[in-house]
């Protein structure tokens, strides 16, 4: 990340000799705290100030010579005050102009005047400027110098950028932009650059998070950066394999959206999904894993024994083996009008991202499995009320017992069992939902601005249709589930597929997208590790 710009000291004089001298003396004393700029005319000085204002930088002090062609120093300082009212203003004068400078103290709120020459600066320059700059620093509230996200609170594009920055653990401040502004959402970087309506790849590249490929050919290419993919990348790279991890969004998968994971081995106090996956990413990078994100795998082909992945950015990646750990996508809420409010009041697995906007509000959670329970407990610490809408008769059937107990003990969580959401209404954002009692069919309307949906998921495997075998629900079949090897059209090895090997030799699957997998974080990590041992066996046979 570029270092934020320091406040500016601007010196303006049409005499090159004087300008060089004042710039030299200012730099010698203040360059550690301020950025010193110089302009050879009043017009140039105004252009500098306009540029600083456009970049949302700060001018702390403006020094100007009085006698300049086109505009006097007093007139220039008056213009400077309109642009930066808080900046301290100093006039550089000859002895004959001191009466003019004294008058200007009252007329244009001049802070001080200096008679040229100011030698020695330790006696005649620095004491004056030290006091002025100390006053400015004492009265000035430094602007926020981190990443700023400017947008509309309920705009889907704003929500997606907020989620991206949150998942990358990048501190940022959200600012509501003016209604109707076509350039929003915008990301403003600490160095002043502004990205209007940026794509995720553009943001990642601008923040210096993009990775360059370090190998022309990889031993293992992993598609999907959830727990299974991250675990496989760590084990493979630590054992000397050239490893590439390809992730369509942000490494972490659905686990990365979890507000709190309390049943993962080794974390007795629990850990957030963002923290856990961030640690895994740091571990993978330490072992030399290359990471491409956000980039989608669009097609898989063969070149002899090698696999070729065709990516959304136009790259083609060659690898000896491929691990498919593409994970799952949340299922959409099947309710009238719901699609219109995705990212504008209805969210899928975005519990952490929208925490701030839900403080003190009524939050609705749709779903009754672990992800829904974790989200409900997370929001209960911030929202005034949390209501869980569960189609089943209760929570016990699909949710871990510890979550059921904690939800029952939370005073501001209500569970509406045997209920489903059937409609969503509103203007630019969600305002109301309609609930239906599953048993009686009775309908009831409720005000709702924040609805989080956790109602199951489907595997991200559509792009593999016709390439590797999937079950009727789209999950990847592996090992014995593929049936006899002789009936697999692409199978040309004398042995049957290994336990986690798909119908294409050298292509493996692990994690939630694999048919028959246990949909838990620990099992995904375990399958990622297991896959690496089978990949070693495959490579030893080739």
């Amino acid at each position: 990340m570029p270092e934020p710009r320091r406040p500016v000291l601007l010196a303006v004089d049409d005499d090159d000799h004087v300008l060089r001298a004042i710039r030299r003396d200012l730099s010698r004393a203040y360059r550690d705290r301020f950025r010193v700029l110089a302009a050879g005319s009043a017009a140039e000085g105004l252009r500098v100030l306009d540029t600083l204002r456009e970049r949302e930088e700060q001018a702390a002090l403006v020094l100007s010579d009085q006698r300049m062609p086109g505009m006097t120093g007093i007139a220039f300082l008056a213009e400077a005050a309109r642009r930066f009212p808080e900046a301290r203003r100093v006039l550089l004068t000859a002895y004959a102009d001191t009466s003019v400078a004294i008058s200007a103290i009252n007329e244009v709120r001049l802070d001080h005047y200096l008679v040229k020459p100011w030698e020695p600066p330790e006696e005649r320059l620095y004491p004056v400027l030290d006091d002025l700059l100390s006053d400015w620093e004492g009265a000035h509230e430094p602007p926020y110098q981190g990443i700023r996200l400017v947008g509309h609170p309920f705009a889907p594009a704003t929500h997606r950028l907020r989620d991206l920055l949150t998942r990358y653990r990048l501190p940022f401040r959200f600012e509501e932009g003016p209604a109707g502004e076509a350039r929003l959402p915008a990301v403003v970087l600490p160095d002043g650059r502004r990205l209007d309506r940026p794509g995720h790849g553009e943001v990642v590249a601008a923040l210096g998070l993009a990775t360059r490929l370090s190998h022309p050919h990889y031993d293992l290419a992993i598609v999907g950066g959830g727990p299974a993919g991250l675990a496989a990348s760590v084990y493979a790279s630590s054992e000397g394999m050239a490893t590439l991890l390809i992730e369509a969004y942000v490494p972490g998968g659905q686990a990365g959206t979890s507000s709190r994971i309390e049943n993962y081995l080794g974390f007795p106090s629990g850990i957030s999904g963002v923290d856990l996956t961030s640690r895994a990413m740091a571990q993978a990078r330490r072992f030399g894993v290359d990471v491409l994100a956000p980039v989608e795998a669009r097609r898989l082909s063969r070149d002899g024994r090698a696999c070729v992945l065709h990516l959304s950015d136009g790259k083609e990646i060659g690898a000896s083996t491929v691990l498919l750990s593409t994970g799952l996508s949340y299922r959409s809420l099947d309710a009238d009008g719901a699609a219109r409010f995705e990212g504008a009041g209805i969210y899928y697995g975005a519990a952490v991202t929208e925490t701030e906007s839900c403080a003190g509000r009524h939050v609705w959670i749709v779903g009754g499995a672990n992800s829904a329970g974790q989200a409900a407990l997370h929001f209960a610490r911030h929202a005034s009320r949390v209501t869980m809408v569960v189609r089943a008769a209760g929570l016990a059937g699909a949710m871990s017992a510890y979550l059921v107990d904690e939800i029952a003990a939370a005073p501001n969580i209500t569970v509406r069992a045997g209920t489903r959401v059937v409609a969503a209404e509103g203007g630019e954002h969600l305002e109301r939902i309609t609930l239906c009692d599953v048993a009686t069919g009775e309908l009831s309307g409720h005000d709702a601005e924040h609805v989080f949906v956790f109602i199951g998921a489907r595997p991200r495997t559509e792009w593999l249709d016709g390439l590797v075998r999937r079950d009727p629900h789209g999950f990847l079949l592996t090992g014995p589930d593929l049936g006899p090897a002789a009936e697999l059209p692409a199978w040309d090895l004398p042995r049957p597929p290994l336990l986690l090997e798909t119908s294409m030799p050298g292509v493996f699957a692990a994690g939630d997208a694999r048919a028959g997998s246990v949909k838990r974080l620990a099992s995904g990590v375990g399958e990622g590790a297991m896959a690496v041992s089978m990949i070693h066996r495959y490579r030893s046979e080739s």
Side-chain angles (χ1 to χ4, degrees):
M1 290 285 296
E3 183 180 343
R5 297 282 179 87
R6 291 164 292 177
V8 166
L9 310 182
L10 174 63
V12 182
D13 201 307
D14 63 320
D15 186 320
D16 288 342
H17 176 74
V18 174
L19 190 61
R20 284 196 300 270
I22 189 66
R23 185 172 188 175
R24 176 201 63 211
D25 290 343
L26 290 176
S27 297
R28 186 169 62 187
Y30 303 111
R31 63 187 174 191
D32 291 339
R33 295 156 51 202
F34 300 93
R35 195 156 54 100
V36 178
L37 302 179
S41 68
E44 182 184 352
L46 292 178
R47 286 195 295 272
V48 170
L49 293 175
D50 288 339
T51 299
L52 292 176
R53 191 165 60 170
E54 288 175 6
R55 294 178 177 175
E56 300 184 4
E57 297 186 52
Q58 296 298 311
L61 179 75
V62 181
L63 301 92
S64 175
D65 181 45
Q66 167 61 5
R67 296 192 178 187
M68 295 187 295
M71 181 182 289
T72 66
I74 291 175
F76 169 77
L77 291 174
E79 289 295 324
R82 294 188 182 95
R83 290 161 171 80
F84 291 95
E86 295 182 357
R88 300 302 185 252
R89 295 176 292 282
V90 176
L91 191 68
L92 301 175
T93 71
Y95 182 77
D97 294 325
T98 54
S99 60
V100 175
I102 293 171
S103 300
I105 291 175
N106 295 322
E107 293 174 11
V108 297
R109 293 176 57 205
L110 186 69
D111 291 297
H112 210 282
Y113 70 89
L114 293 170
V115 178
K116 298 184 288 186
W118 53 83
E119 300 291 341
E122 289 77 12
E123 296 179 12
R124 302 182 60 189
L125 177 66
Y126 297 148
V128 171
L129 299 189
D130 285 346
D131 287 344
L132 292 177
L133 291 173
S134 177
D135 288 345
W136 181 84
E137 290 176 316
H140 175 70
E141 182 178 345
Y144 175 74
Q145 294 185 321
I147 301 169
R148 293 188 294 118
L149 172 59
V150 185
H152 306 305
F154 287 99
T158 300
H159 163 71
R160 288 191 292 270
L161 285 175
R162 182 185 291 180
D163 186 56
L164 180 80
L165 295 172
T166 301
R167 294 279 297 276
Y168 270 112
R169 298 186 72 188
L170 294 170
F172 68 95
R173 186 175 72 184
F174 174 73
E175 298 176 4
E176 186 170 351
E181 172 59 63
R183 296 188 302 163
L184 300 182
V187 175
V188 183
L189 304 180
D191 64 358
R193 285 180 294 160
R194 175 183 169 120
L195 309 177
D196 292 325
R197 300 184 65 84
H200 292 167
E202 183 181 355
V203 174
V204 169
L207 293 171
L209 300 173
T211 300
R212 293 183 179 180
L213 300 178
S214 58
H215 300 278
H217 182 89
Y218 286 86
D219 298 322
L220 171 61
I222 302 168
V223 183
L230 286 168
S233 71
V234 169
Y235 282 102
S237 57
S238 67
E239 294 169 10
M241 296 173 64
T243 305
L244 173 66
L245 181 68
I246 302 166
E247 168 55 46
Y249 183 42
V250 179
Q254 285 192 16
T257 70
S258 179
S259 54
R260 201 75 184 164
I261 301 168
E262 295 186 88
N263 61 348
Y264 187 59
L265 185 66
F267 294 93
S269 299
I271 186 171
S272 74
V274 170
D275 285 342
L276 183 62
T277 55
S278 175
R279 294 184 185 194
M281 275 295 297
Q283 198 172 13
R285 291 188 185 277
R286 184 168 70 87
F287 285 119
V289 176
D290 286 348
V291 181
L292 286 182
V295 178
E296 289 186 65
R298 294 280 176 83
R299 188 163 62 90
L300 173 63
S301 63
R302 299 300 293 258
D303 181 10
R305 275 290 176 207
C307 301
V308 180
L309 286 164
H310 306 261
L311 308 183
S312 58
D313 63 359
K315 292 187 178 70
E316 294 184 0
I317 303 296
S320 301
T321 58
V322 168
L323 175 64
L324 302 172
S325 55
T326 53
L328 307 177
S329 296
Y330 286 109
R331 294 192 184 279
S332 298
L333 184 64
D334 183 18
D336 291 342
R340 189 161 70 88
F341 300 108
E342 288 187 14
I346 295 179
Y347 308 99
Y348 294 90
V352 176
T353 301
E354 296 295 327
T355 299
E356 184 178 346
S357 63
C358 296
R361 305 295 185 89
H362 185 183
V363 171
W364 296 79
I365 305 292
V366 182
N370 279 5
S371 295
Q374 291 162 349
L377 290 168
H378 170 75
F379 278 116
R381 294 192 291 269
H382 307 277
S384 60
R385 295 170 56 197
V386 176
T387 300
M388 299 188 69
V389 180
V390 183
R391 185 187 292 258
L395 298 177
M399 188 178 294
S400 296
Y402 80 93
L403 287 173
V404 176
D405 293 342
E406 290 184 28
I407 288 170
N412 60 337
I413 298 180
T414 301
V415 179
R416 294 186 62 125
T419 307
R420 62 190 183 95
V421 180
V422 294
E425 304 170 81
E428 293 185 356
H429 60 84
L430 180 69
E431 298 173 10
R432 192 171 179 80
I433 58 174
T434 301
L435 302 182
C436 176
D437 186 291
V438 173
T440 66
E442 181 181 353
L443 301 178
S444 58
H446 305 267
D447 293 337
E449 290 185 315
H450 306 279
V451 176
F452 296 86
V453 182
F454 306 84
I455 53 173
R458 55 179 177 78
R460 297 190 184 103
T461 60
E462 299 89 346
W463 63 286
L464 295 164
D465 187 32
L467 297 172
V468 296
R469 282 198 174 179
R470 303 182 297 158
D471 72 7
H473 302 289
F475 290 91
L476 299 169
L477 295 169
T478 59
D481 292 338
L482 289 165
E487 297 178 7
L488 302 176
W491 197 261
D492 58 358
L493 296 179
R495 59 161 176 80
L498 300 172
L499 182 62
L500 299 181
E501 196 168 14
T502 69
S503 59
M504 183 180 290
V507 178
F508 297 78
D512 290 351
R514 190 182 70 82
S517 65
V518 178
K519 307 301 187 277
R520 287 289 187 270
L521 173 62
S523 64
V525 171
E527 285 195 11
M530 284 175 56
V532 172
S533 67
M534 296 177 191
I535 288 167
H536 276 303
R537 177 176 168 182
Y538 171 82
R539 295 182 67 217
S540 68
E541 296 172 346
S542 301

